[in-house]
Amino acid sequence: MRITKKALVLLLAAILLIGLVGCNASSSAVNKEYQETNKGENAKKYIKGKFTALISKMNKDQEKQGYLSSEDFAAFKSEFNLIANASKSSAEVDFNGADNINDNVALLKEDINSLGGKAAVKAVNRYKSKDVVYESTIMKPLNHLMQTSDVYYDYNSLNMFKKDHSDSSVVSMEKVGKDAASSINSIELSYKSVDTLKAEIKKRENNFNAEEVDMLNSIVQNLYSSLQNQVAVLNHFQEVYVDDGTTVEDKINAAVTDFNDSRKELSEFEESLGVEYQEE
């Protein structure tokens, strides 16, 4: 059977249409692959940029006095551990020591360089996620401050003072006064932790909503108030103190109330994020 000219035209048109559909499908797949590759490359560049900027700042801070100050280290530690956690790296800076810092910097650098495209995208998402931000930068120091502020904790300064002087008949007033002053100094060291936490919350506030930021600040402020009341209790045992008309019992009750309010808020906050602090 001979094909007619009209049938030939229709056949060619059908073939061309099939070809175009195939080309479009192929082009779409290639374009999607390109976009995913490009997204992964940009994500890796983002994480590497955060890491590089952090190390550059650390080096500059070290050059000032040959080591990282406690303030500079606190800022470095929180950002480093956030990048590490986001990247699923086992690197973690624990203390301000050259070996600890250098070993973990090398490990994190290696882990970031080995990130694939999809893993890099996940790392960026984790870096900006409120639960990861909280776990990496705020949770540990906040829970540590919570523990040391508890007047029933064995190593709380007020509780230790109380245990040491449960029988006041066997020590001199001078000794009691000196021990009270020493305990006050110990508690006031925690004020620095309060300041560091407030600064960290301010730095990370864009990762949380307004209510969550207020809640975090309230937790820290209540702990600070509890510590101030504990200092006020100890002031009663110094040779000279200002009598503001409140009793030791009043101040202890105020310290306990502030602490309990803070602990309740912290529990609610961590539950809302779906995180749980594990004591080491």
Side-chain angles (χ1 to χ4, degrees), residues 226-237:
S226 178
L227 291 170
Q228 286 183 308
N229 278 306
Q230 291 174 47
V231 167
V233 170
L234 289 163
N235 274 327
H236 276 266
F237 296 92

Side-chain angles (χ1 to χ4, degrees), residues 8-270:
L8 179 62
V9 171
L10 291 173
L11 182 60
L12 288 172
I15 292 173
L16 288 172
L17 182 61
I18 293 170
L20 287 173
V21 171
C23 286
N24 285 338
S26 176
S27 175
S28 176
V30 170
N31 188 48
K32 184 178 180 181
E33 183 180 354
Y34 171 76
Q35 288 178 342
E36 289 180 353
T37 301
N38 195 43
K39 188 177 181 181
E41 289 175 351
N42 287 336
K44 187 168 183 176
K45 184 177 180 181
Y46 178 89
I47 288 294
K48 288 184 75 170
K50 291 291 183 181
F51 174 75
T52 301
L54 177 64
I55 301 308
S56 177
K57 184 178 185 307
M58 178 196 70
N59 290 333
K60 288 179 181 178
D61 289 339
Q62 283 181 324
E63 288 173 3
K64 297 175 189 175
Q65 47 199 358
Y67 61 92
L68 287 175
S69 68
S70 58
E71 292 82 3
D72 289 336
F73 175 71
F76 168 78
K77 177 184 176 181
S78 69
E79 181 66 10
F80 181 93
N81 289 339
L82 173 56
I83 296 172
N85 194 349
S87 304
K88 293 284 190 175
S89 171
S90 60
E92 181 180 8
V93 170
D94 296 310
F95 55 90
N96 193 359
D99 289 342
N100 179 251
I101 292 174
N102 292 336
D103 289 347
N104 282 286
V105 164
L107 176 57
L108 181 54
K109 182 178 180 180
E110 181 181 342
D111 289 341
I112 290 175
N113 286 335
S114 66
L115 284 174
K118 290 183 179 180
V121 172
K122 289 180 179 179
V124 172
N125 291 335
R126 284 174 55 79
Y127 180 83
K128 298 177 180 180
S129 172
K130 68 175 67 176
D131 56 326
V132 176
V133 170
Y134 174 73
E135 284 180 317
S136 306
T137 67
I138 299 172
M139 184 165 71
K140 188 173 181 178
L142 180 52
N143 276 275
H144 177 71
L145 180 62
M146 179 73 66
Q147 183 181 53
T148 58
S149 301
D150 184 357
V151 296
Y152 300 111
Y153 174 57
D154 285 343
Y155 298 103
N156 169 270
S157 295
L158 177 58
N159 194 23
M160 291 174 69
F161 174 84
K162 181 190 73 175
K163 290 177 180 178
D164 289 342
H165 299 288
S166 57
D167 185 359
S168 59
S169 64
V170 297
V171 292
S172 67
M173 285 301 300
E174 183 181 3
K175 176 72 164 59
V176 171
K178 286 182 178 179
D179 287 350
S182 177
S183 296
I184 289 171
N185 289 335
S186 178
I187 291 175
E188 289 179 341
L189 288 176
S190 296
Y191 291 174
K192 197 168 187 178
S193 298
V194 169
D195 292 337
T196 299
L197 277 165
K198 286 181 176 179
E200 191 65 37
I201 293 167
K202 178 67 177 175
K203 180 180 178 181
R204 308 293 178 184
E205 63 182 2
N206 289 335
N207 295 102
F208 305 95
N209 61 43
E211 184 181 353
E212 289 166 340
V213 172
D214 288 344
M215 202 168 187
L216 282 170
N217 282 320
S218 177
I219 292 167
V220 174
Q221 186 57 42
N222 278 327
L223 288 177
Y224 178 56
S225 180
S226 178
L227 291 170
Q228 286 183 308
N229 278 306
Q230 291 174 47
V231 167
V233 170
L234 289 163
N235 274 327
H236 276 266
F237 296 92
Q238 297 197 87
E239 291 186 63
V240 178
Y241 74 94
V242 177
D243 187 356
D244 61 1
T246 57
T247 66
V248 168
E249 289 76 14
D250 290 336
K251 290 182 172 66
I252 289 177
N253 288 335
V256 171
T257 298
D258 288 335
F259 173 81
N260 286 338
D261 288 345
S262 184
R263 181 168 57 183
K264 181 175 180 292
E265 280 192 296
L266 180 59
S267 177
E268 291 173 354
F269 180 83
E270 292 186 344

